[in-house]
Amino acid sequence: MKHNEMKRLTALILFLLMGIPFLMAQKTVKVSGKITDDSNETMIGVSIMEKGTNNGIITDFNGNYSLFVHEGATIVYSYIGYITQEKKAVAGTMNITMKENQKVLEEVVVVGYGVQKKSSVTGAISQVKTEDIQNRTISNAQQALQGKTAGVQIIQTSAAPGSSPTIRIRGYSSNAASSPLYVVDGIRLSDISGIDPNDIASMEVLKDAASAAIYGAEAGNGVVLITTKKGKSGEGKIAYDFQYSVQSLARIPKMLNSEQYIDYMVEGSTFTRDYLLKNWDGVTNTSWSDVAFGNSQMQKHNLAFTGGGDKGNYYLSLTYLDNNGIVKGNADTYNRMTATINSEYQIKKWLKVGTTNQIEKYNVRTVSSNNEYGSLLTSILQLDPLTPDTYTYENLPANMLTALNDGKHLLQDENGNYYAVSKFLACEQYNPMIMRDNNIDRNSGFNVNGSIYGDFKPFKDLTITSRLGYRLSGARSSTTSLPFYGNSVQSKDYLSQSGQSSTSIYYQWENFANYMKSFDKHTVSAMVGMSYQESTYDYVSGSLSANGEDALQKNDPLFYYLNYGASSATKSVGGEKTRSAKMSYFGRVGYDYAGKYMLQASLRADAADLSFLPSTNRWGYFPAVSAGWSVSEEKFFMPLKEKINSLKLRASWGQNGSLSALSGYPYSTDMTSSGIYPFTLENYYITGARPSTMGNEKLKWETSEQINIGFDARFLRSRLTFGLDYFDKKTKDLLVWNTTPSLAIGGNTSPMNAGNVSNKGLEFELSWRDHIRDFNYSVRANLATLKNKVTYIDPSINRIEGTKFHTSYVTYFEKGYPVYYFRGYKFTGVNSETGEPTFADLDKSGGLSEGDISYIGDAIPDFTYGITLAASWKGFDLTIFGTGSHGNDIFNCINRPDFKASNKLKEVFYDNRWTVDNKAGTVPRAGAMLMDKYQLSDALVYDGSYYKIKQIQFGYSFPQKWLKKIFVNNLRIYGSLDDFITFTSYPGFDPEAAASTTSGMGIDKGSYPCSKKVVFGLNIEF
């Protein structure tokens, strides 16, 4: 018995001894205290967490906290904008003073030929960072700017794979192009679509004239600076990003179905009901958007290597993009391979050398769009629903069988069925699948952009940089036009071929020196430099046109080259080489006193060669000055510091230039051949010549002058940031053609500086960042207003014609109106007795005339905006991003009035139309006599306002403690819905439609629409 009791006692003692460490480990202590900042102000909402656990709390309104933690644990104190601190837990009071994270608050932004602390910037510069770009389904850098910064608008004439949108910064400044200058790692580029977004570290938009003036004659429309990624010191890393997307048509316009089409055509007396029913099978109800569009795929792979040491670093990246568009088949594809090679090395303490390189190889195929005279996208909206998409040979209708027997080429699908030809509509628009297959367009090319640079530091405060930049480009294109039969209006009996190859070489050599010296509270800086640019372009082209038989020896893909021309083919060849050059000198000085008062001034002098301007006016001078006042650094501001952490006022003035309308010796006096004349009695004729232009030795640069006033503020311990800018931009000396010459002289005038444009607006940028324990969230929003007006045009010109729809111009450039506004008739309603449209008789002439045509809308939005919501909790993250515009108009130019049998947009022509039973209808009757006027009136001008949710992305990052076991640093997977939701009242495919980026803004002729995407992706780093 005693033995058993001893055993039980021994077991109990052993159990207690084994539990002692556990009991000790579970001992908790209470810590409490107050959190303050450097100014001894209490901090509300500071996160206090026991490291490695979910145990935590936040400070109250008095900055106090109290928390039970395990004895010996580590406590983590964190707050956005402040340095995170870790302290060992000690029972009792633990008061903490948080330090501002100067690295965050004093981050740098890239400016022309240097960098500046963000707190010292006196101009209007917006920055887009890596987190705004990564893991999106964008294929080019332009798309990365949409909705991410105020004052930047994206104009998109096509959303097809490989297409590039156009950027507009602070409005529309010219009657020619208004594109900004792109500078990538210091190298000027005319196009940045080949820069893969994965390789971009940051993008800065220089919006005001003072920021952009250092680029002088090329900066009149703003500047976009792109900095690509570089390596960092530390252990080398390997990163792989993968993305796979399923794409489909985002919006499908409502068209007339078969029964509605029959009713409309019968009402308009276009066809009799008997004819339609006789030629319709009673079943077919073709949706041509379903015929032409389908689901497609896009995939992207990016592999990057990065690393570095004390003396050097490297960044190597390889990206492959394969995008097959939403048109069925492989007629709209974009394949691109890009590589980035960046490296720099500190050879000596006084010498650092480096190189940046971006290499692109691409192949693209496109389908026709944006054309009222025949395009695949327009045909989808015009073909009747009574015609099926295909016929078998046994079911061929009479019109197609007749064409086949007459030797016409009826195209077939992969199953041998014939693409249908309508019995009701014969015009430039025909079966979209025939349009897809009757041409084989191939476009390919390469771009190599890069630089080699050296930074020489002869003494501490001076850095001299010499940089050689280069851009080598090559492009090839070919078109094989196949025999086809679209209808009685559109057909081709013979094969033809054309092609072109071009090469572009550009280089720039720049040398500049930066000096900065600080003493006491004073900081002075200076930069001076020179730049030389030269570019050459040459091309060769050829074509083989049919002359009674195929222009190629055989209709076979192996013979689709210019080398296999038939002996009967009409041959043509062309080619030319051009060269241009520019020389520049520039400088900038700056002064900063105690971080309170900042002043900066710059001047650039640019000279163009004779291909741009005459020797008398080749030099242009572009000055700028800006100033800043950090009010929050003043002593009187200290009582407000707790609520308003930072407040800086900014103001700037400057002038920039533009080269967009200058090329090809526009000032010269030219001669042209003009008729044949018999100068002898033997009827020997000689080709004569006459002056074609009068010349203009006073031609000069276009100049933009801009005033900017703004402020930047941070509130509530930097959780809330707000920026506001007002700008007034005046562009003068626009190049204008077609001024009326003197009747005594005759001939045509050369372009002259005879136009001015004004752009004014406000820009707002707002962000909020905070966290509640492990939950982090942020909201960023921007909004920009714009008032655009042509303020002067040469008195000899009433207005400049822009874009045509069929036989009439619909946009114009005219004094007192926005750039390229819509001009047409004012629709006043429908005559309740006749169903005919009525229009305002503005000139009181008693009938419709030129005097009744006036302003009916414009494509320039009153304001644009973007909103980004981001949240994360533990490993989960969510991003929602949307962008939109308000107040812009769209002119629907889909249906030509001379083709009454074309299908119609239901909401535009069918709903609430006038009929005998609906005499109160607001839409004219079918077949109305004045439909040609109606379709050139404001009845077809729609509110183009929209809001698109561009991205809804949800991701998960795996815990690092799991990943270390498999030698992985980071692993994140995500899913996303991109461009899935659009809010708009516009009845067409896409409210972002445009026929061209300047005179065709807001004109919808059937542009390639945006696709919605379901995305899966992963990011992994070793």
Side-chain angles (χ1 to χ4, degrees):
M1 186 73 174
K2 289 183 178 180
H3 180 69
N4 290 334
E5 288 178 351
M6 285 296 296
K7 287 175 65 178
R8 283 196 293 270
L9 180 60
T10 303
L12 178 60
I13 292 171
L14 290 172
F15 177 80
L16 292 173
L17 289 172
M18 293 174 62
I20 287 174
F22 177 79
L23 293 173
M24 291 178 65
Q26 294 303 305
K27 184 179 179 181
T28 59
V29 296
K30 180 182 178 181
V31 295
S32 59
K34 177 177 284 190
I35 309 297
T36 58
D37 61 12
D38 286 332
S39 303
N40 202 33
E41 298 290 340
T42 57
M43 296 184 65
I44 306 167
V46 177
S47 175
I48 301 102
M49 296 289 296
E50 181 180 357
K51 190 173 183 179
T53 72
N54 295 325
N55 181 33
I57 198 171
I58 60 174
T59 55
D60 60 20
F61 285 97
N62 297 313
N64 296 319
Y65 75 97
S66 179
L67 182 68
F68 286 94
V69 299
H70 295 103
E71 189 177 46
T74 299
I75 303 178
V76 180
Y77 301 86
S78 62
Y79 193 84
I80 290 176
Y82 288 76
I83 298 173
T84 299
Q85 298 185 38
E86 296 186 2
K87 302 287 186 180
K88 285 290 185 182
V90 178
T93 302
M94 293 182 65
N95 294 327
I96 301 296
T97 300
M98 301 292 287
K99 305 286 185 181
E100 283 189 310
N101 188 342
Q102 295 299 318
K103 184 176 181 181
V104 173
L105 301 177
E106 297 300 319
E107 62 186 357
V108 299
V109 295
V110 178
V111 296
Y113 304 99
V115 296
Q116 282 185 338
K117 290 191 301 183
K118 199 167 187 177
S119 60
S120 300
V121 170
T122 52
I125 301 176
S126 291
Q127 187 177 50
V128 177
K129 299 182 181 179
T130 303
E131 54 263 33
D132 297 310
I133 302 171
Q134 62 188 5
N135 299 325
R136 294 184 59 193
T137 52
I138 55 177
S139 59
N140 55 60
Q142 295 98 316
Q143 294 169 315
L145 289 173
Q146 186 175 24
K148 293 297 184 180
T149 182
V152 176
Q153 186 186 358
I154 301 298
I155 299 176
Q156 185 168 273
T157 59
S158 172
S163 62
S164 298
T166 299
I167 295 174
R168 292 287 181 266
I169 298 174
R170 289 189 167 179
Y172 310 82
S173 303
S174 178
N175 56 316
S178 296
S179 298
L181 171 67
Y182 302 110
V183 182
V184 180
D185 293 328
I187 311 305
R188 292 165 178 77
L189 298 180
S190 58
D191 182 18
I192 56 173
S193 57
I195 307 296
D196 190 82
N198 271 69
D199 296 327
I200 295 175
S202 70
M203 302 175 70
E204 275 81 12
V205 182
L206 311 184
K207 297 187 289 189
D208 69 322
S211 301
I214 201 66
Y215 290 104
E218 298 170 277
N221 299 309
V223 181
V224 178
L225 304 180
I226 296 179
T227 304
T228 58
K229 293 178 179 178
K230 293 184 179 180
K232 298 178 181 179
S233 297
E235 184 180 359
K237 296 179 180 179
I238 304 172
Y240 171 67
D241 297 329
F242 168 73
Q243 196 174 81
Y244 180 81
S245 307
V246 177
Q247 306 172 120
S248 58
L249 186 61
R251 298 181 74 243
I252 302 177
K254 297 177 182 178
M255 308 301 298
L256 303 186
N257 62 30
S258 294
E259 292 183 357
Q260 293 165 344
Y261 178 83
I262 290 173
D263 289 342
Y264 192 87
M265 294 300 139
V266 172
E267 288 175 17
S269 300
T270 305
F271 300 108
T272 64
R273 185 174 296 274
D274 288 342
Y275 176 82
L276 291 173
L277 295 178
K278 179 181 178 180
N279 289 278
W280 178 47
D281 61 11
V283 177
T284 298
N285 185 25
T286 303
S287 170
W288 290 101
S289 60
D290 292 340
V291 171
F293 295 117
N295 291 344
S296 64
Q297 292 77 42
M298 178 174 69
Q299 59 176 310
K300 184 178 179 181
H301 306 264
N302 175 261
L303 182 64
F305 306 87
T306 181
D310 295 336
K311 291 190 174 183
N313 61 70
Y314 61 88
Y315 176 82
L316 309 174
S317 173
L318 185 66
T319 304
Y320 174 70
L321 173 68
D322 182 11
N323 187 2
N324 193 335
I326 56 176
V327 174
K328 291 179 180 178
N330 298 309
D332 57 334
T333 60
Y334 180 49
N335 304 101
R336 186 182 72 194
M337 181 80 76
T338 57
T340 297
I341 305 170
N342 293 343
S343 180
E344 58 184 12
Y345 194 81
Q346 192 79 41
I347 295 179
K348 301 287 185 181
K349 290 183 178 180
W350 46 268
L351 179 61
K352 179 173 71 176
V353 297
T355 182
T356 62
N357 298 274
Q358 296 89 42
I359 305 166
E360 175 197 13
K361 175 67 176 74
Y362 65 88
N363 291 277
V364 60
R365 291 194 63 193
T366 59
V367 295
S368 56
S369 63
N370 254 336
N371 193 333
E372 67 268 41
Y373 296 109
S375 72
L376 186 148
L377 272 298
T378 311
S379 71
I380 293 169
L381 300 175
Q382 291 200 4
L383 287 183
D384 62 90
L386 308 183
T387 302
D389 57 335
T390 60
Y391 288 106
T392 63
Y393 177 78
E394 293 76 17
N395 294 323
L396 281 180
N399 64 321
M400 293 182 65
L401 194 59
T402 299
L404 190 63
N405 292 333
D406 289 343
K408 300 296 183 181
H409 296 266
L410 302 184
L411 301 186
Q412 298 171 277
D413 66 11
E414 63 276 9
N415 298 316
N417 298 321
Y418 290 90
Y419 292 125
V421 175
S422 174
K423 291 174 282 188
F424 312 102
L425 179 66
C427 64
E428 287 93 340
Q429 315 294 351
Y430 47 96
N431 192 312
M433 296 296 95
I434 299 178
M435 287 191 175
R436 182 196 66 180
D437 294 347
N438 65 1
N439 277 288
I440 302 175
D441 292 318
R442 296 187 180 93
N443 297 278
S444 62
F446 69 89
N447 291 285
V448 179
N449 314 309
S451 68
I452 300 172
Y453 60 90
D455 290 339
F456 172 61
K457 294 186 177 181
F459 51 86
K460 180 182 177 182
D461 301 313
L462 178 66
T463 301
I464 301 172
T465 300
S466 183
R467 179 170 59 208
L468 176 66
Y470 47 84
R471 182 176 71 239
L472 312 174
S473 302
R476 293 176 296 179
S477 64
S478 69
T479 299
T480 306
S481 298
L482 302 173
F484 75 95
Y485 182 78
N487 53 44
S488 58
V489 175
Q490 288 289 310
S491 66
K492 185 180 179 67
D493 294 330
Y494 303 111
L495 181 70
S496 61
Q497 181 77 23
S498 64
Q500 179 173 309
S501 179
S502 63
T503 303
S504 177
I505 299 175
Y506 165 88
Y507 77 88
Q508 65 182 54
W509 184 36
E510 296 182 318
N511 298 281
F512 53 95
N514 276 285
Y515 176 79
M516 180 176 288
K517 180 69 175 179
S518 297
F519 50 94
D520 295 330
K521 295 183 179 181
H522 307 274
T523 299
V524 295
S525 62
M527 186 274 295
V528 63
M530 61 78 64
S531 174
Y532 176 78
Q533 306 167 53
E534 182 175 312
S535 62
T536 58
Y537 171 80
D538 66 87
Y539 76 95
V540 61
S541 64
S543 67
L544 298 169
S545 302
N547 187 10
E549 63 178 2
D550 286 342
L552 296 177
Q553 295 175 10
K554 191 175 183 181
N555 189 350
D556 186 287
L558 295 176
F559 289 80
Y560 292 165
Y561 299 95
L562 293 172
N563 205 38
Y564 298 105
S567 58
S568 61
T570 301
K571 303 175 178 65
S572 67
V573 65
E576 188 179 17
K577 181 177 181 178
T578 60
R579 173 190 174 275
S580 64
K582 292 186 285 290
M583 171 72 81
S584 307
Y585 298 97
F586 49 86
R588 179 173 57 214
V589 293
Y591 173 73
D592 185 315
Y593 175 74
K596 295 181 184 180
Y597 315 113
M598 292 145 277
L599 183 66
Q600 188 166 276
S602 67
L603 175 66
R604 182 169 180 128
D606 285 303
D609 69 14
L610 293 178
S611 67
F612 293 104
L613 290 169
S615 58
T616 52
N617 283 340
R618 63 167 52 178
W619 281 97
Y621 301 92
F622 305 97
V625 63
S626 61
W629 177 27
S630 289
V631 185
S632 55
E633 297 303 311
E634 300 288 357
K635 289 183 179 180
F636 67 78
F637 198 86
M638 289 304 156
L640 301 174
K641 268 279 197 175
E642 183 179 355
K643 300 297 184 183
I644 307 175
N645 309 113
S646 174
L647 175 63
K648 180 176 66 176
L649 306 182
R650 298 178 282 102
S652 69
W653 170 90
Q655 291 185 336
N656 307 126
S658 176
L659 292 166
S660 61
L662 293 170
S663 64
Y665 302 88
Y667 59 89
S668 62
T669 301
D670 300 325
M671 303 290 288
T672 186
S673 58
S674 178
I676 54 176
Y677 301 90
F679 285 100
T680 65
L681 297 177
E682 291 79 16
N683 290 328
Y684 180 71
Y685 289 87
I686 298 175
T687 301
R690 64 173 175 82
S692 61
T693 55
M694 297 165 55
N696 181 9
E697 288 294 322
K698 295 182 179 181
L699 197 67
K700 59 184 179 180
W701 309 91
E702 290 184 0
T703 301
S704 290
E705 182 173 278
Q706 186 175 173
I707 295 173
N708 190 95
I709 302 172
F711 73 84
D712 303 306
R714 292 186 283 111
F715 305 87
L716 304 175
R717 307 193 189 283
S718 299
R719 288 178 294 178
L720 176 65
T721 62
F722 179 68
L724 170 66
D725 281 276
Y726 167 78
F727 68 91
D728 186 349
K729 180 180 180 182
K730 295 180 172 65
T731 305
K732 58 185 180 180
D733 299 326
L734 269 63
L735 266 69
V736 175
W737 281 259
N738 303 321
T739 53
T740 303
S742 165
L743 295 177
I745 299 175
N748 299 319
T749 59
S750 296
M752 60 185 295
N753 300 101
N756 298 345
V757 173
S758 170
N759 289 277
K760 299 179 181 179
L762 290 168
E763 296 172 351
F764 306 86
E765 294 198 352
L766 178 73
S767 71
W768 172 269
R769 297 189 307 162
D770 202 358
H771 69 93
I772 303 173
R773 298 187 182 179
D774 287 344
F775 179 71
N776 295 275
Y777 66 97
S778 67
V779 180
R780 287 180 295 145
N782 64 79
L783 183 145
T785 69
L786 180 64
K787 294 292 184 182
N788 173 272
K789 183 186 288 187
V790 178
T791 56
Y792 172 78
I793 194 170
D794 186 82
S796 69
I797 301 177
N798 290 328
R799 59 188 66 93
I800 300 173
E801 297 166 338
T803 293
K804 260 187 174 182
F805 171 51
H806 192 33
T807 59
S808 301
Y809 285 97
V810 291
T811 66
Y812 289 86
F813 185 94
E814 183 178 357
K815 180 182 177 181
Y817 296 96
V819 167
Y820 289 110
Y821 72 98
F822 304 154
R823 182 175 166 83
Y825 297 98
K826 289 187 178 292
F827 174 64
T828 55
V830 176
N831 186 310
S832 61
E833 297 301 319
T834 64
E836 288 290 329
T838 61
F839 306 93
D841 184 11
L842 300 179
D843 63 357
K844 307 302 180 183
S845 64
L848 290 180
S849 64
E850 178 68 23
D852 299 321
I853 299 177
S854 64
Y855 171 90
I856 57 173
D858 65 86
I860 298 176
D862 295 331
F863 61 86
T864 56
Y865 58 96
I867 304 171
T868 302
L869 308 176
S872 64
W873 179 75
K874 298 188 183 296
F876 298 96
D877 62 84
L878 173 69
T879 301
I880 302 175
F881 162 59
T883 183
S885 71
H886 179 80
N888 55 297
D889 298 314
I890 299 180
F891 205 151
N892 186 285
C893 295
I894 298 297
N895 286 89
R896 276 172 45 184
D898 52 333
F899 292 132
K900 296 181 180 180
S902 65
N903 201 358
K904 306 290 189 290
L905 287 163
K906 182 174 179 292
E907 298 174 43
V908 177
F909 293 98
Y910 187 84
D911 293 344
N912 201 29
R913 72 195 183 283
W914 185 97
T915 64
V916 174
D917 299 324
N918 182 31
K919 292 190 175 183
T922 57
V923 175
R925 67 177 178 86
M929 299 297 293
L930 295 177
M931 289 304 287
D932 58 333
K933 303 293 190 295
Y934 182 76
Q935 293 185 221
L936 293 174
S937 74
D938 57 358
L940 273 294
V941 175
Y942 292 87
D943 180 6
S945 304
Y946 71 90
Y947 177 67
K948 285 187 176 183
I949 299 181
K950 304 289 288 186
Q951 183 182 51
I952 305 174
Q953 186 176 114
F954 182 73
Y956 178 70
S957 299
F958 290 87
Q960 291 191 348
K961 62 182 180 181
W962 297 359
L963 301 177
K964 289 180 180 179
K965 298 177 181 179
I966 56 174
F967 307 102
V968 174
N969 292 340
N970 293 293
L971 174 60
R972 177 179 180 267
I973 59 174
Y974 63 90
S976 184
L977 300 177
D978 288 9
D979 295 298
F980 240 76
I981 303 172
T982 299
F983 300 96
T984 184
S985 61
Y986 180 60
F989 271 123
D990 195 336
E992 293 188 85
S996 68
T997 58
T998 303
S999 65
M1001 297 180 298
I1003 302 297
D1004 186 2
K1005 295 184 178 183
S1007 62
Y1008 193 108
C1010 182
S1011 61
K1012 60 184 180 181
K1013 307 170 186 69
V1014 179
V1015 187
F1016 168 76
L1018 69 85
N1019 315 119
I1020 187 169
E1021 182 184 280
F1022 301 93

